[in-house]
């Protein structure tokens, strides 16, 4: 499946003077053609034009909505090489790059110890070396050691 990157540029607001273009429409069409050809040389494919609202400040407290004319281009991006499966990892890969089995919930629950005089259990997670403990939502009244 091809992947794309997109580029959005403002549409020209006025035409360019050029020999043979007598009307404003001809000048505008020439300006638009130049922009599209310039981006096309860099690999950008014209996709569509959009008119989108844009809220702007007027004075200190006022706001007004204007409409911006935008041209949208896209070009294909090279596919990234897929990551190797675990069994395809090189044998000489250092241990800290090797994914190991994470401790399960029952193994982590066994590391909970009572805390304080109220008898509640507070988490003191001791994950195996090289692994970060699983982090869950905070619970009221429990204090981590």
């Amino acid at each position: 499946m091809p992947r794309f990157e997109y580029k959005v540029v403002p549409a020209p607001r006025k035409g360019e003077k050029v020999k043979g273009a007598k009307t404003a429409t001809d000048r505008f069409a020439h300006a638009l053609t130049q922009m599209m050809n310039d981006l096309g040389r860099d690999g950008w494919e014209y996709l569509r034009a959009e008119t989108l609202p844009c809220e702007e400040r007027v004075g200190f407290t006022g706001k007004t909505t204007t409409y911006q004319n935008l041209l949208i281009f896209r070009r294909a991006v090279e596919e990234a090489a897929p990551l190797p499966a675990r069994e395809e990892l090189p044998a000489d890969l250092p241990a800290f790059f090797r994914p190991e089995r994470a401790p399960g919930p029952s193994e982590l629950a066994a590391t909970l110890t009572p805390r304080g005089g109220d008898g509640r259990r507070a988490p003191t997670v001791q994950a195996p070396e090289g692994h970060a403990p699983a982090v869950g939502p905070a619970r009221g009244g429990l204090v981590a050691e």
Side-chain angles (χ1 to χ4, degrees), residues 53-96:
C54 178
E55 191 173 275
E56 296 178 351
R57 286 176 59 177
V58 177
F60 288 113
T61 60
K63 294 180 182 176
T64 186
T65 301
T66 61
Y67 293 88
Q68 305 296 321
N69 296 310
L70 305 168
L71 303 176
I72 302 172
F73 294 83
R74 75 176 183 183
R75 69 178 169 189
V77 178
E78 294 180 21
E79 291 287 332
L83 297 174
R86 288 186 180 190
E87 52 274 353
E88 297 173 8
L89 293 173
D92 61 341
L93 191 67
F96 56 85

Side-chain angles (χ1 to χ4, degrees), residues 131-142:
H131 294 284
V135 179
R139 294 186 183 139
L142 297 178

